[in-house]
Every structure is written in structure tokens, then in C-alpha cells.
Amino acid sequence: MTQDAGAHQEPAWLLRTRTSYDIDASGYAERVHGLLGARSDLRAHLDVFAEFVRRDGGGPIVDVGCGPGYVARYLHDAGVETFGIDLAPEMVTIARRDHPHIHFRQGTMTDLDLEDRSVGGVVAFWSTIHIPDDSMPHVAGEFFRVLRPNGCVLIGFHVGDAIQHSSTGYTGAPISVDTHRRRPGTMSDWLREAGFRIEWESLLRPDDESPGALVLARRP
Ligand SMILES: C[S@@+](CC[C@H](N)C(=O)[O-])C[C@H]1O[C@@H](n2cnc3c(N)ncnc32)[C@H](O)[C@@H]1O
């Protein structure tokens, strides 16, 4: 079958996101180094997620937008086979360097290079924050497609309503990336529309300037 060349054209926002994280990979990795050690709330949610995946059919788990790979490492150490996919090749290089026993590769959640029903868990920690609203139903559909029935998706994100544009990375280098803050109910509605059932919506540090949320959903 011949492919329509236009079908593979990368949207400008995706190209900007990839380029920005390639430029800022080392700065970002340094910034989040040791984060899970300091965040028992995140660890607690990851522990329950790992338990659900183990109990309800096993892995693998795919860490989508894995960045430097510490979430994949945590889940792997919790006893569930886990691998990571990230848009930015420089992030993949850092993840492989820091966790050489775990598989990481380049890819995008907008077009996952995974077979239908091939994974037991999808985790996306603060990575869908770079997907515009109008592409989120498609991304939720990708998560649903690759999960086996009874598999779970866990999505972490910044809470709010605004889109924040960043033009300077953690290293001080120029970047250009948008961060989309969202209400937990909005995320849950995208997941429901894709076919998921919501297991929980957690609001983290609601009194902070930048609260977070975790939504866990199951493919029936
Ligand atoms: C804020 S970082 C989060 C990294 C890591 N999950 C964490 O919690 O520290 C966002 C990550 O998502 C990746 N990303 C952004 N858009 C993506 C996409 N369409 N597909 C896969 N990864 C993406 C970026 O390259 C970056 O590594």
C-alpha cells in the first residue's frame, strides 16, 4: 500500500518539543535527579499502579515520554518488566546511560510503534503536558489501543487551565515548548471517550502554586 506523504508530516509543535528536549536534556535530567526519592506521594501511586499491573496480567509497562528514565527504573525495580519511549533522542541517550539494563527508544505517543494489546501498563508522567488539547483524544486512543484488556494507564500532569510557553531551558539555552495545564476531570473525560474506566483521580499538593494530578484508568 502506498502511503500518503502528508500523513507522515510532523506537526510544528511536535518538532519544537523534540528539538527543545534535545537541547535541554541534560538540564532537565539534572533538575529531576533524585526526585522520586523525595516524593513519597508519587512513589505510593507508582506502587499501586505496579501492583495493579502485576495482579491483572503482568507487564510489560511502557513509560511514554520517559525522559531520563527514572520512572521506568522505579517500576522495573518494583518487579514489572518496563521499557521507555521518548520523543527526544538526547533524552533516550541519557536514559540508556543512567539505566543500561532497561530498554529505551525514540518514538512518539502520537503514533506508538507498539502492537495492539501488547502491554499491560502505560505510564505517562508529565509528558502529555506537551500535547495540545485537540490531539489528546488521539493520544488517549493510542494508550487504549496498545493496552491489553484489564491493563492500566497512569497519567501525571500539571493542574490548571493555562498554556505556558517556555523559551529558556534549564541550562539557559533557548528552547520553544508549550506546557498545557489541565483539570483532572478533563483528562478523565478524554480517557473515558477512548473507552477507559477511571479508577482514580488524585490531586497532589492542591495548595501549591503548581499542583499536580494523577489519573489512573483501566481498559475494560
Ligand atoms: C517534563 S518531561 C517528563 C519526563 C519524565 N516522564 C519525568 O517525569 O521526569 C516531558 C518528556 O516528554 C517527552 N515528550 C514530549 N512529547 C512527547 C511525545 N509526543 N511522545 C513521547 N515523548 C514526548 C519529552 O521529550 C520529555 O522527555
Side-chain angles (χ1 to χ4, degrees):
M1 191 175 80
T2 52
Q3 298 277 356
D4 172 6
H8 290 293
Q9 216 167 24
E10 187 175 45
W13 57 266
L14 197 58
L15 175 60
R16 279 201 312 271
T17 304
R18 190 178 67 233
T19 307
S20 297
Y21 274 101
D22 270 341
I23 290 169
D24 207 31
S26 62
Y28 182 82
E30 215 169 288
R31 163 108 182 166
V32 294
H33 184 76
L35 177 82
L36 279 185
R39 292 290 302 266
S40 50
D41 53 347
L42 296 179
R43 292 200 310 276
H45 285 81
L46 288 171
D47 289 344
V48 177
F49 170 66
E51 172 63 25
F52 279 4
V53 173
R54 256 198 314 268
R55 189 194 65 190
D56 299 329
I61 291 170
V62 57
D63 180 359
V64 176
C66 59
Y70 61 94
V71 169
R73 167 69 173 271
Y74 185 84
L75 293 166
H76 173 90
D77 289 352
V80 191
E81 182 196 341
T82 304
F83 64 98
I85 291 178
D86 199 277
L87 182 66
E90 286 300 323
M91 278 296 192
V92 174
T93 300
I94 288 174
R96 286 177 179 156
R97 179 199 69 194
D98 291 351
H99 316 287
H101 54 303
I102 295 177
H103 174 78
F104 295 100
R105 64 173 182 265
Q106 197 272 336
T108 174
M109 69 180 86
T110 53
D111 185 17
L112 287 169
D113 61 342
L114 294 170
E115 299 287 325
D116 295 1
R117 303 177 172 216
S118 60
V119 299
V122 174
V123 62
F125 257 34
W126 282 263
S127 52
T128 61
I129 61 173
H130 300 304
I131 304 292
D133 282 2
D134 60 2
S135 294
M136 275 306 300
H138 171 73
V139 166
E142 278 293 273
F143 294 168
F144 188 89
R145 178 183 69 76
V146 302
L147 272 171
R148 289 194 295 265
N150 230 12
C152 285
V153 59
L154 177 63
I155 304 183
F157 52 98
H158 298 299
V159 173
D161 302 301
I163 302 172
Q164 178 196 330
H165 183 75
S166 303
S167 52
T168 309
Y170 293 112
T171 58
I175 60 170
S176 176
V177 67
D178 289 338
T179 296
H180 301 259
R181 293 175 186 277
R182 273 140 188 165
R183 300 280 152 194
T186 307
M187 185 64 76
S188 292
D189 282 346
W190 283 320
L191 293 170
R192 279 190 195 98
E193 281 157 25
F196 286 100
R197 289 183 67 82
I198 307 305
E199 293 270 352
W200 77 47
E201 289 174 4
S202 293
L203 192 55
L204 309 178
R205 300 181 168 179
D207 295 334
D208 275 12
E209 200 178 307
S210 177
L214 286 164
V215 173
L216 186 133
R218 186 183 296 278
R219 175 176 173 156

PDB file of all heavy atoms in Angstrom, residues 1 3 23 32 46 74 98 104 106 131 144 153 155 167 172:
ATOM      1  N   MET A   1       0.857  -1.198   0.000  1.00  0.00           N
ATOM      2  CA  MET A   1       0.000   0.000   0.000  1.00  0.00           C
ATOM      3  C   MET A   1       0.893   1.249   0.000  1.00  0.00           C
ATOM      4  O   MET A   1       1.835   1.333   0.767  1.00  0.00           O
ATOM      5  CB  MET A   1      -0.872  -0.026   1.244  1.00  0.00           C
ATOM      6  CG  MET A   1      -1.952   1.002   1.203  1.00  0.00           C
ATOM      7  SD  MET A   1      -3.064   0.850   2.621  1.00  0.00           S
ATOM      8  CE  MET A   1      -2.114   1.668   3.892  1.00  0.00           C
ATOM      9  N   GLN A   3       1.786   5.025   0.845  1.00  0.00           N
ATOM     10  CA  GLN A   3       1.399   5.923   1.932  1.00  0.00           C
ATOM     11  C   GLN A   3       1.316   7.344   1.399  1.00  0.00           C
ATOM     12  O   GLN A   3       2.113   7.749   0.565  1.00  0.00           O
ATOM     13  CB  GLN A   3       2.450   5.884   3.047  1.00  0.00           C
ATOM     14  CG  GLN A   3       2.606   4.530   3.682  1.00  0.00           C
ATOM     15  CD  GLN A   3       1.544   4.311   4.760  1.00  0.00           C
ATOM     16  OE1 GLN A   3       0.767   5.211   5.059  1.00  0.00           O
ATOM     17  NE2 GLN A   3       1.511   3.119   5.309  1.00  0.00           N
ATOM     18  N   ILE A  23      17.786  19.844  23.185  1.00  0.00           N
ATOM     19  CA  ILE A  23      18.678  20.912  23.656  1.00  0.00           C
ATOM     20  C   ILE A  23      18.811  20.872  25.175  1.00  0.00           C
ATOM     21  O   ILE A  23      19.898  21.049  25.733  1.00  0.00           O
ATOM     22  CB  ILE A  23      18.117  22.287  23.209  1.00  0.00           C
ATOM     23  CG1 ILE A  23      18.254  22.462  21.697  1.00  0.00           C
ATOM     24  CG2 ILE A  23      18.808  23.438  23.954  1.00  0.00           C
ATOM     25  CD1 ILE A  23      17.490  23.650  21.135  1.00  0.00           C
ATOM     26  N   VAL A  32      15.647  16.844  37.693  1.00  0.00           N
ATOM     27  CA  VAL A  32      14.758  15.844  38.306  1.00  0.00           C
ATOM     28  C   VAL A  32      15.537  14.713  38.976  1.00  0.00           C
ATOM     29  O   VAL A  32      14.934  13.775  39.500  1.00  0.00           O
ATOM     30  CB  VAL A  32      13.765  15.240  37.267  1.00  0.00           C
ATOM     31  CG1 VAL A  32      12.805  16.308  36.776  1.00  0.00           C
ATOM     32  CG2 VAL A  32      14.491  14.582  36.107  1.00  0.00           C
ATOM     33  N   LEU A  46       2.837   5.059  42.126  1.00  0.00           N
ATOM     34  CA  LEU A  46       3.529   4.112  41.238  1.00  0.00           C
ATOM     35  C   LEU A  46       3.460   2.698  41.812  1.00  0.00           C
ATOM     36  O   LEU A  46       3.326   1.724  41.058  1.00  0.00           O
ATOM     37  CB  LEU A  46       4.989   4.541  41.025  1.00  0.00           C
ATOM     38  CG  LEU A  46       5.183   5.776  40.142  1.00  0.00           C
ATOM     39  CD1 LEU A  46       6.647   6.247  40.188  1.00  0.00           C
ATOM     40  CD2 LEU A  46       4.767   5.495  38.688  1.00  0.00           C
ATOM     41  N   TYR A  74      12.143   2.789  38.372  1.00  0.00           N
ATOM     42  CA  TYR A  74      11.429   2.513  39.618  1.00  0.00           C
ATOM     43  C   TYR A  74      10.476   1.324  39.438  1.00  0.00           C
ATOM     44  O   TYR A  74      10.418   0.420  40.280  1.00  0.00           O
ATOM     45  CB  TYR A  74      10.652   3.758  40.063  1.00  0.00           C
ATOM     46  CG  TYR A  74       9.994   3.589  41.400  1.00  0.00           C
ATOM     47  CD1 TYR A  74      10.696   3.810  42.580  1.00  0.00           C
ATOM     48  CD2 TYR A  74       8.662   3.172  41.489  1.00  0.00           C
ATOM     49  CE1 TYR A  74      10.090   3.621  43.822  1.00  0.00           C
ATOM     50  CE2 TYR A  74       8.052   2.989  42.721  1.00  0.00           C
ATOM     51  CZ  TYR A  74       8.775   3.215  43.875  1.00  0.00           C
ATOM     52  OH  TYR A  74       8.166   3.019  45.099  1.00  0.00           O
ATOM     53  N   ASP A  98      22.025   6.098  32.065  1.00  0.00           N
ATOM     54  CA  ASP A  98      21.779   6.007  33.512  1.00  0.00           C
ATOM     55  C   ASP A  98      21.164   4.673  33.942  1.00  0.00           C
ATOM     56  O   ASP A  98      21.273   4.298  35.108  1.00  0.00           O
ATOM     57  CB  ASP A  98      20.866   7.155  33.971  1.00  0.00           C
ATOM     58  CG  ASP A  98      21.575   8.501  33.879  1.00  0.00           C
ATOM     59  OD1 ASP A  98      22.799   8.509  33.627  1.00  0.00           O
ATOM     60  OD2 ASP A  98      20.899   9.533  34.048  1.00  0.00           O
ATOM     61  N   PHE A 104      15.311   1.532  26.186  1.00  0.00           N
ATOM     62  CA  PHE A 104      14.729   2.840  25.859  1.00  0.00           C
ATOM     63  C   PHE A 104      14.865   3.066  24.364  1.00  0.00           C
ATOM     64  O   PHE A 104      15.886   2.701  23.772  1.00  0.00           O
ATOM     65  CB  PHE A 104      15.457   3.975  26.600  1.00  0.00           C
ATOM     66  CG  PHE A 104      15.312   3.928  28.093  1.00  0.00           C
ATOM     67  CD1 PHE A 104      16.325   3.410  28.882  1.00  0.00           C
ATOM     68  CD2 PHE A 104      14.159   4.392  28.712  1.00  0.00           C
ATOM     69  CE1 PHE A 104      16.200   3.357  30.265  1.00  0.00           C
ATOM     70  CE2 PHE A 104      14.026   4.341  30.104  1.00  0.00           C
ATOM     71  CZ  PHE A 104      15.042   3.822  30.873  1.00  0.00           C
ATOM     72  N   GLN A 106      13.535   5.846  20.875  1.00  0.00           N
ATOM     73  CA  GLN A 106      12.898   7.083  20.439  1.00  0.00           C
ATOM     74  C   GLN A 106      11.532   6.756  19.840  1.00  0.00           C
ATOM     75  O   GLN A 106      11.372   5.717  19.177  1.00  0.00           O
ATOM     76  CB  GLN A 106      13.794   7.782  19.402  1.00  0.00           C
ATOM     77  CG  GLN A 106      13.470   9.244  19.166  1.00  0.00           C
ATOM     78  CD  GLN A 106      12.414   9.466  18.091  1.00  0.00           C
ATOM     79  OE1 GLN A 106      12.233   8.627  17.224  1.00  0.00           O
ATOM     80  NE2 GLN A 106      11.713  10.584  18.157  1.00  0.00           N
ATOM     81  N   ILE A 131       1.187  17.899  24.784  1.00  0.00           N
ATOM     82  CA  ILE A 131       0.260  17.553  23.696  1.00  0.00           C
ATOM     83  C   ILE A 131      -0.892  18.555  23.699  1.00  0.00           C
ATOM     84  O   ILE A 131      -1.570  18.716  24.730  1.00  0.00           O
ATOM     85  CB  ILE A 131      -0.309  16.124  23.902  1.00  0.00           C
ATOM     86  CG1 ILE A 131       0.821  15.089  24.016  1.00  0.00           C
ATOM     87  CG2 ILE A 131      -1.294  15.769  22.800  1.00  0.00           C
ATOM     88  CD1 ILE A 131       1.619  14.847  22.762  1.00  0.00           C
ATOM     89  N   PHE A 144      -5.112   3.347  24.706  1.00  0.00           N
ATOM     90  CA  PHE A 144      -6.125   2.278  24.759  1.00  0.00           C
ATOM     91  C   PHE A 144      -5.742   1.150  23.791  1.00  0.00           C
ATOM     92  O   PHE A 144      -5.794  -0.031  24.154  1.00  0.00           O
ATOM     93  CB  PHE A 144      -7.488   2.867  24.383  1.00  0.00           C
ATOM     94  CG  PHE A 144      -8.633   1.922  24.577  1.00  0.00           C
ATOM     95  CD1 PHE A 144      -9.292   1.851  25.796  1.00  0.00           C
ATOM     96  CD2 PHE A 144      -9.071   1.105  23.542  1.00  0.00           C
ATOM     97  CE1 PHE A 144     -10.356   0.976  25.982  1.00  0.00           C
ATOM     98  CE2 PHE A 144     -10.124   0.223  23.726  1.00  0.00           C
ATOM     99  CZ  PHE A 144     -10.769   0.156  24.942  1.00  0.00           C
ATOM    100  N   VAL A 153      -3.578   2.583  32.599  1.00  0.00           N
ATOM    101  CA  VAL A 153      -2.765   3.741  32.233  1.00  0.00           C
ATOM    102  C   VAL A 153      -2.718   4.677  33.441  1.00  0.00           C
ATOM    103  O   VAL A 153      -3.726   4.860  34.129  1.00  0.00           O
ATOM    104  CB  VAL A 153      -3.322   4.468  30.987  1.00  0.00           C
ATOM    105  CG1 VAL A 153      -4.753   4.956  31.194  1.00  0.00           C
ATOM    106  CG2 VAL A 153      -2.432   5.636  30.580  1.00  0.00           C
ATOM    107  N   ILE A 155      -1.482   8.571  34.296  1.00  0.00           N
ATOM    108  CA  ILE A 155      -1.043   9.831  33.688  1.00  0.00           C
ATOM    109  C   ILE A 155      -0.844  10.879  34.776  1.00  0.00           C
ATOM    110  O   ILE A 155      -1.753  11.133  35.578  1.00  0.00           O
ATOM    111  CB  ILE A 155      -2.071  10.340  32.651  1.00  0.00           C
ATOM    112  CG1 ILE A 155      -2.326   9.253  31.592  1.00  0.00           C
ATOM    113  CG2 ILE A 155      -1.568  11.610  31.969  1.00  0.00           C
ATOM    114  CD1 ILE A 155      -3.277   9.693  30.487  1.00  0.00           C
ATOM    115  N   SER A 167      10.737  29.603  26.825  1.00  0.00           N
ATOM    116  CA  SER A 167      11.706  29.958  25.780  1.00  0.00           C
ATOM    117  C   SER A 167      13.146  29.797  26.265  1.00  0.00           C
ATOM    118  O   SER A 167      14.079  30.015  25.489  1.00  0.00           O
ATOM    119  CB  SER A 167      11.458  31.390  25.291  1.00  0.00           C
ATOM    120  OG  SER A 167      11.409  32.267  26.386  1.00  0.00           O
ATOM    121  N   GLY A 172      19.780  27.197  30.385  1.00  0.00           N
ATOM    122  CA  GLY A 172      19.862  28.590  29.937  1.00  0.00           C
ATOM    123  C   GLY A 172      19.810  28.726  28.421  1.00  0.00           C
ATOM    124  O   GLY A 172      19.749  29.829  27.887  1.00  0.00           O
TER     125      GLY A 172
END
